Amino acid sequence: MIRKLNNILGLLLTVVLACPAHAQNVHTDAIIAIVNDDVITFKDLRQYIASIASQLRVENKTREEIQQVMGEYERKGLDKLIEDKLILAAANEKGMDVRGDIVDRRLQEIRGRYSNEDEFIKALNTEGMTVSDLQKKLTDQLKVKYEVDLEVRDKIFVNPQDVTEYYNKHMAEFDRKPMVNLQSIFVSFDKHIKQEARTRADEARSRILAGEDFNTVFQKYSDGSSVGEIEQGQMADAVENVVFSLKLDEVSDPVEVENGIYVFKAIGISPGKQQTLAEVKDQIYGKLLDEQFQVKFKDWVDKLRQKAYVEIK
């Protein structure tokens, strides 16, 4: 049933992101779940998803950021709605409150993403929201955050010895490969016959070797953007054998590939190295912390479900 609902939700999400006003036309009051005394209809689920998208737009998130967040809601929409209700109920049961100045600071952060107050209010109106609506959402979200911090995140401890053990067992993950930063000129076989392309590549290389500014030569001869920084293993062997043998500021001979010819100049070289524990300990700590959080959070939410009445229709 959950899978079927989330398939329907995927269609709804397309409507919400593409044209939020039309999302109101997708409606049904069919009951899909019950949480304690709360009945959840498909209309509630639709409004929940639409409100998340609306808030992200009011917060002036980019479309890419919105799609990334909403992708999670497409996959787990009903589960997340139930989860939110259970956590908020647990926070309210404790009498948890959020100081007004904290909500106001969060509100000011969102206001600060607009050039003026009128633009902020216009964005709210477009989403059918008021400042009070947004304050209420922010308050509930902060209650959920604080409850999760109190019951899960604050109880997690990563032993420094665990960090060291992870590093010793996964040293290959921290073996940084050699890198080279390249300026490049690319002459395409699609735009020039092969002999003409070879002549252009030779001319470009000669002008660079003669001391002409690389960018000037690039503008005249290149049919593609500059390669930039690459890590060993990212390009064909024939190319890598050339670029990783270059010295700093050295210019390569023309390198012919299937669709054209490159001329490279090395402007930065980083030899490979094994990163030390000191360099990666924060990265490992974060990874272990997140792994513990995912396990403990799921266990905690499962216990909330067991104590509550949850029925999926």
Side-chain angles (χ1 to χ4, degrees), residues 249-268:
D249 292 326
E250 185 179 1
V251 178
S252 74
D253 290 330
V255 181
E256 193 164 319
V257 294
E258 184 178 350
N259 58 339
I261 305 174
Y262 281 102
V263 175
F264 298 103
K265 180 179 180 180
I267 58 172

Side-chain angles (χ1 to χ4, degrees), residues 276-290:
T276 66
L277 175 59
E279 290 174 314
V280 298
K281 66 179 181 180
D282 289 344
Q283 178 184 335
I284 297 173
Y285 178 84
K287 177 182 176 64
L288 296 180
L289 195 70
D290 184 63

